[in-house]
Amino acid sequence: LNSKLILPNIFLTSPVFMPSWGANKAGASLPSKKYKTDVKPPGGSEDITRRLHAVLAKLCLKNSLGLREIQAAVLKTFLVHVDTTLVSQAQEATAEWNSQMQPLKAAGNMQALEDLGSPHVHAFAAVIEVLKESEHLSDTEKPVVCQHDQQYYGSAAETAKVIYVCRLKKTFEKTQKKLHIAVHHSQDPIVDLLEKHVVQSKGKVKRGQPPPGGLEKELQQLLDQLQEMAE
């Protein structure tokens, strides 16, 4: 009788017969997890700060590279001379937008601000006016510009639906500026005509990934110096 009572107890509590979940519950230690890591034990606050700066610099450079890759895929970039009407009229248009925006913003007139639209819309409107008068476009090409103007650019809100980016940027050469354009595919004919105008005005079309900017270059130099100090 006693053996019948003891045997089940032995079966349940013996390490030989006990299932794994029962052994763990009974107090058996679990194997410790090992995480793969390349992080070395810090050597002090100065070491942590140096490594932190290096990691942040690498992260910034990586993100900047990613943005330049996206820019190459999305934006159409032209290199134009600062003395061209394309640059002067686009700058005048954005300056005029700014002069209209300031009092509206100060007065809190949000509806008027919305109707005014973004500065890139006004810059693009100036581009369209330049193309209408361009001596580099034929008599059959200029009506295409006028047709698009009537069909798509009736208001700032309508223009913004198909024109996503239109802005001028400085370059290392003071005599040149970059014109970035990003549009809906329905506006490809206009972009093609703009390219023709720019090229025949002694401008250039920039393709591919743009080079690192000044801040990226400076950050890379500082990172290289920091890594040399750590060696």
Side-chain angles (χ1 to χ4, degrees), residues 2-216:
N2 292 336
S3 62
K4 291 181 180 180
L5 295 174
I6 294 172
L7 185 58
N9 190 38
I10 293 174
F11 177 78
L12 291 173
T13 58
S14 172
V16 178
F17 299 101
M18 186 179 298
S20 58
W21 59 267
N24 295 339
K25 195 171 183 180
S29 60
L30 292 170
S32 59
K33 288 186 177 180
K34 294 182 180 180
Y35 297 96
K36 292 182 179 180
T37 177
D38 295 331
V39 179
K40 298 179 180 179
S45 60
E46 293 183 0
D47 182 58
I48 293 175
T49 302
R50 187 186 305 111
R51 289 165 53 207
L52 176 62
H53 289 166
V55 170
L56 290 175
K58 290 178 181 178
L59 180 61
C60 289
L61 291 171
K62 178 182 178 182
N63 290 340
S64 296
L65 173 60
L67 288 175
R68 286 189 284 113
E69 290 174 342
I70 294 173
Q71 178 177 326
V74 174
L75 297 179
K76 185 88 171 184
T77 302
F78 302 99
L79 197 62
V80 293
H81 200 276
V82 294
D83 293 334
T84 58
T85 55
L86 194 64
V87 172
S88 61
Q89 293 197 24
Q91 289 178 328
E92 289 175 6
T94 52
E96 177 64 22
W97 172 87
N98 188 64
S99 65
Q100 295 181 40
M101 180 271 297
Q102 292 293 344
L104 295 176
K105 185 178 180 180
N109 193 339
M110 303 308 296
Q111 183 59 51
L113 281 172
E114 185 176 347
D115 295 338
L116 181 62
S118 301
H120 82 278
V121 170
H122 295 258
F124 187 79
V127 170
I128 290 297
E129 293 303 316
V130 171
L131 292 182
K132 288 180 180 179
E133 303 297 329
S134 175
E135 61 183 11
H136 305 298
L137 300 186
S138 66
D139 293 338
T140 59
E141 291 172 330
K142 289 182 181 179
V144 176
V145 179
C146 296
Q147 180 183 356
H148 273 70
D149 190 13
Q150 296 173 2
Q151 183 176 356
Y152 295 104
Y153 317 139
S155 66
E158 291 297 317
T159 305
K161 292 179 181 179
V162 292
I163 307 300
Y164 309 136
V165 176
C166 181
R167 69 170 181 267
L168 289 168
K169 288 188 66 176
K170 295 180 180 178
T171 66
F172 292 109
E173 295 289 338
K174 293 183 178 181
T175 59
Q176 295 177 330
K177 285 187 179 294
K178 285 182 180 179
L179 175 62
H180 291 310
I181 296 284
V183 302
H184 186 266
H185 63 81
S186 63
Q187 308 306 300
D188 287 346
I190 294 297
V191 177
D192 292 340
L193 294 177
L194 175 60
E195 179 176 338
K196 180 180 179 180
H197 172 85
V198 169
V199 171
Q200 295 193 10
S201 301
K202 298 182 180 181
K204 295 181 181 179
V205 181
K206 303 295 289 184
R207 294 184 173 88
Q209 181 179 308
L215 289 177
E216 284 184 73

